[in-house]
Amino acid sequence: MQVAVPMTPAKGTSQATAQSRSHDTEEARELTGSQILCEALIREGVELLYGYPGGAIMPFYDALSSYSQLHHVLVRHEQAAAHAADGYARVTGKVGVCVATSGPGATNLVTGLATAFTDSIPVVAITGQVAWSLIGRDGFQETDILGITQPITKHNFLVERVEDLADIVHEAFRLAQGGRPGPVLVDVPKDIQQGKTLYRPSASVTSIEHFRSTRTPQIAPGAIARAAKLIAQARKPVIMSGHGVILSQAYTELQTFAEKSDMPVITTLLGLSALPETHRLAIGMPGMHGPAHVNKAIGDADLIVGVGLRFDDRVTGKVSEFAPHAQIIHIDIDASEMHKVKPAAVPIVADAKEALSALTEAIEPGNHEAWLQEIRGWETAANERGTIVQGQEYPDPADILAAIRAETKGEAIVVSDVGQHQMWTARFYNWTRPNSHITSGGLGTMGFALPAAMGIKMGLPHETVWVVAGDGGIQMNIQELATLKQQGVAVKIAIMNNGYLGMVRQWQQFFHNQNYSETPITGPDYVKLADAYGLKGMRITKREDVARAIHEAMETEGTVLIDFVIEAESNVYPMVAPGKAITDMIEENTEEI
Amino acid sequence: MANEKPGAQATARSNGGEISAAEARTQSITRAGQSNAPEGAARTYRLVIQINERPGAVDRVVGLLRRRRARMQTLTIGRSEQPDVARVTAVIDDSEVAVEQVVEQLRKVVDVQQVTLFSSEQLVERELALIKVQSDPRHSRAIIELGQQFGAHVADVAPATVTLEITSSTAQVEQLVQQLQPFGICELARTGSVAMTRAQ
């Protein structure tokens, strides 16, 4: 049971607010833990936080209303707070912050933290905890959130003394951002929030440099020269660019390196948009739903320069048959990624930006035009960005994506959920703007897109943000429509509604004898639903109405939800069966259509 | 137990600007970090993990060893020469994960200060065991004499049992336990290994 205390956004200038403005002075003041928490967040540059009050975090919420610099967004479920903080961090490069009470509030954050952890996103979660004296007694709303989140955070803290609180908050921010980013949780018992101590802002700067996890590693001597030598010898090299390139914002460095070396560039799901897909060297996405020519290129390649990727199983397929002829130069900021899945000939533990610059400098200009043409020759009509479903009256997923792209001139940030629509979006959108593609890649969290989009839009209020979701995933955090309405935040939502948990149905079709066990799904009337939330909704059932609907959504103020009723049983092609080699693809059977 | 991989080396400190174990290796690596060892090639390793004495630090190490599939044979936790730093000695086998992978993963744990991977030539290794052996007046002398051959002390004598205390290498402890089996072992408590490098 969480006690929802109505929050009045305080715009006044209370005494505490006036005091917080002077946080650069040396003067020590006696503050409560809750006030210190607010002060420390402000010192870290936090402006937005997503959360939900409840018993054990109430002292913090009491103090919060006096700090007008901190804009708190009351979500409708704590999972959404974690996803919103995650989305905010993905596009701003800053740390996203979410807040929850103890017990169920904290456990509701878990999926969001795991999502951020798997995709290396800097998030700080603040959770209330029962009073120190009650810990271990199974108090009301007590859970061991440290134990629960230990494997899904970079680190977590239980604050034992109010005197330590400020330092811990600053440590949490350093840890979340440093090295390979990730979520950090700070659990604050209620009595620590209420306790008082002298707070001197300038004293609470922690020396956390001894933590390896916060540092950017230096490139090992000789590694760049060894890599350059392999690059010079390669006849069929490819670059595989992953999320690390986006996290490092190494877009220019990637393009410069690709152009100088003249290597074809493959971008993983989370690496999409780092290099414009219109670039002559951009060949597409690898793996389970990558187009055939990309997987064939990997199969034929004699060198892979992998940058900021971890050779996840959705990329490699059967590892023993992945890139059988290729040596690997592996660049990653995390040393534990080296050799983890594929042994690398040259491991380079470094930030992507730095390593790509160094490599570019070390190599001679290359020419791989013949190899590029060979790959282009494998491209088939099915891989072209066109229609997904032929000869149907229903809106075509590719048309929907093309219309969003046309309407926004490719400038929108598109947030996809998880499933078939996610793969269509990845494959057919034609990404040209760096970091415009946001999705839960590693954990594959359904329900991610809508709350993440809220965080993205609030982080970059002048950008257009589109959600593309399935009719399964959208129902997992649909309650956030209320938050969007309350906050006056406008995101545009396209539901690709096929009445199925489509990706699971596709697997059932291929691997379970079309036994569509528990995949047919109904939804609400989305037009009425949007209306009930005070938002505009549309239902589009005809192909010719797609572009008009997208245009109308853009012309309409506020959040708009469009229910695109699509063909029920269209599939994502090609597909590599789990555990198979990526060169062993299930291609589209045109007779079925 | 002592089948070390030849050439396994103590790795550099984790808290400097050092090169990772993966990068430092010059010979080419053929086994992926997170994969099974080839049939019959699994080996045991001793890891010394120095951790900050903060709540949860041991959990983090133990949890990581489990998640990354390092099979733990023994684990000891105790104080070190530095205040606020605990020393964890873990004996693991690499049947399901390469030891270098475990080392690099451990180094990411915030409360881990240093991870050292030992080969047996480089280290002094000891464990302590208390062995309660069934006895009667006819056998007690033989039990005590056997123990003395291994440098064991008598910790406790009762009419029906003799409890020996041995501090020695793991191999020696195992031998003594084996040789005491015919008398009947009532209870056995072993600490697991602690280890440190030999002075040069």
Side-chain angles (χ1 to χ4, degrees), chain A residues 295 298-302 304 319-327 342 583:
Chain A
N295 288 336
I298 293 170
D300 269 29
D302 61 2
I304 289 173
V319 175
S320 59
E321 292 176 34
F322 174 79
H325 312 296
Q327 287 197 290
K342 283 293 283 184
T583 43

Side-chain angles (χ1 to χ4, degrees), chain A residues 216-224 347-351 353-359, chain B residues 19 23:
Chain A
T216 303
Q218 291 175 341
I219 300 174
I224 294 292
I348 302 176
V349 182
D351 178 67
K353 196 174 202 139
E354 205 186 321
L356 284 169
S357 299
L359 259 186
Chain B
I19 301 163
E23 288 171 303

Side-chain angles (χ1 to χ4, degrees), chain A residues 192-204:
Chain A
I192 304 289
Q193 297 169 45
Q194 292 163 323
K196 287 186 172 179
T197 189
L198 279 179
Y199 174 66
R200 185 182 285 114
S202 58
S204 56

Side-chain angles (χ1 to χ4, degrees), chain A residues 95-412:
Chain A
V95 176
V97 181
C98 55
V99 185
T101 192
S102 64
T107 55
N108 277 348
L109 293 175
V110 166
T111 303
L113 293 177
T115 304
F117 184 69
T118 316
D119 287 352
S120 310
I121 306 301
V123 167
V124 168
I126 312 278
T127 50
Q129 181 55 278
V130 299
W132 185 253
S133 59
L134 286 175
I135 292 177
R137 288 207 217 164
D138 303 322
F140 176 66
Q141 294 193 330
E142 178 189 351
T143 57
D144 172 19
I145 199 62
L146 250 66
I148 291 169
T149 58
Q150 190 206 95
I152 55 162
T153 51
K154 267 184 89 171
H155 193 61
N156 54 23
F157 298 89
L158 172 61
V159 184
E160 293 181 32
R161 304 182 324 147
V162 67
E163 293 80 11
D164 301 336
L165 180 57
D167 283 358
I168 286 176
V169 172
H170 296 308
E171 282 194 13
F173 275 78
R174 295 291 80 67
L175 281 167
Q177 286 177 297
R180 178 178 182 172
V184 178
L185 182 137
V186 182
D187 199 27
V188 193
K190 190 169 186 176
D191 52 341
I192 304 289
Q193 297 169 45
Q194 292 163 323
K196 287 186 172 179
T197 189
L198 279 179
Y199 174 66
R200 185 182 285 114
S202 58
S204 56
V205 173
T206 174
S207 64
I208 199 171
E209 286 69 31
H210 60 284
F211 289 141
R212 181 186 174 90
S213 298
T214 63
R215 287 194 317 268
T216 303
Q218 291 175 341
I219 300 174
I224 294 292
R226 289 205 304 279
K229 196 175 162 195
L230 288 187
I231 291 168
Q233 291 165 350
R235 293 290 158 261
K236 295 185 169 187
V238 291
I239 296 168
M240 291 184 74
S241 178
H243 197 196
V245 173
I246 286 180
L247 291 170
S248 166
Q249 297 178 31
Y251 318 122
T252 315
E253 289 76 8
L254 172 68
Q255 186 165 338
T256 312
F257 172 65
E259 286 169 357
K260 187 172 180 188
S261 62
D262 203 42
M263 285 192 232
V265 181
I266 293 166
T267 34
T268 69
L269 177 64
L270 286 179
L272 286 172
S273 82
L275 181 72
E277 292 199 316
T278 45
H279 194 281
R280 62 175 273 276
L281 291 166
I283 59 168
M285 186 175 87
M288 184 172 273
H289 292 293
H293 68 275
V294 176
N295 288 336
K296 269 189 186 166
I298 293 170
D300 269 29
D302 61 2
L303 179 70
I304 289 173
V305 182
V307 197
L309 87 163
R310 54 193 173 82
F311 296 101
D312 162 83
D313 61 277
R314 289 305 197 252
V315 163
T316 61
K318 188 177 184 181
V319 175
S320 59
E321 292 176 34
F322 174 79
H325 312 296
Q327 287 197 290
I328 293 176
I329 297 167
H330 192 181
I331 301 167
D332 201 285
I333 199 162
D334 180 351
S336 68
E337 289 301 336
M338 297 301 140
H339 316 299
K340 186 181 84 178
V341 175
K342 283 293 283 184
V346 183
I348 302 176
V349 182
D351 178 67
K353 196 174 202 139
E354 205 186 321
L356 284 169
S357 299
L359 259 186
T360 305
E361 211 162 292
I363 58 168
E364 294 299 318
N367 182 349
H368 296 291
E369 185 59 27
W371 166 228
L372 183 65
Q373 288 316 314
E374 191 180 352
I375 296 169
R376 293 287 183 208
W378 297 326
E379 273 189 272
T380 61
N383 296 323
E384 282 169 14
R385 296 177 184 91
T387 50
I388 288 164
V389 184
Q390 308 283 345
Q392 296 288 341
E393 62 172 301
Y394 293 117
D396 186 282
D399 285 356
I400 297 167
L401 295 163
I404 293 172
R405 196 184 147 72
E407 186 66 36
T408 60
K409 300 179 174 61
E411 289 298 306

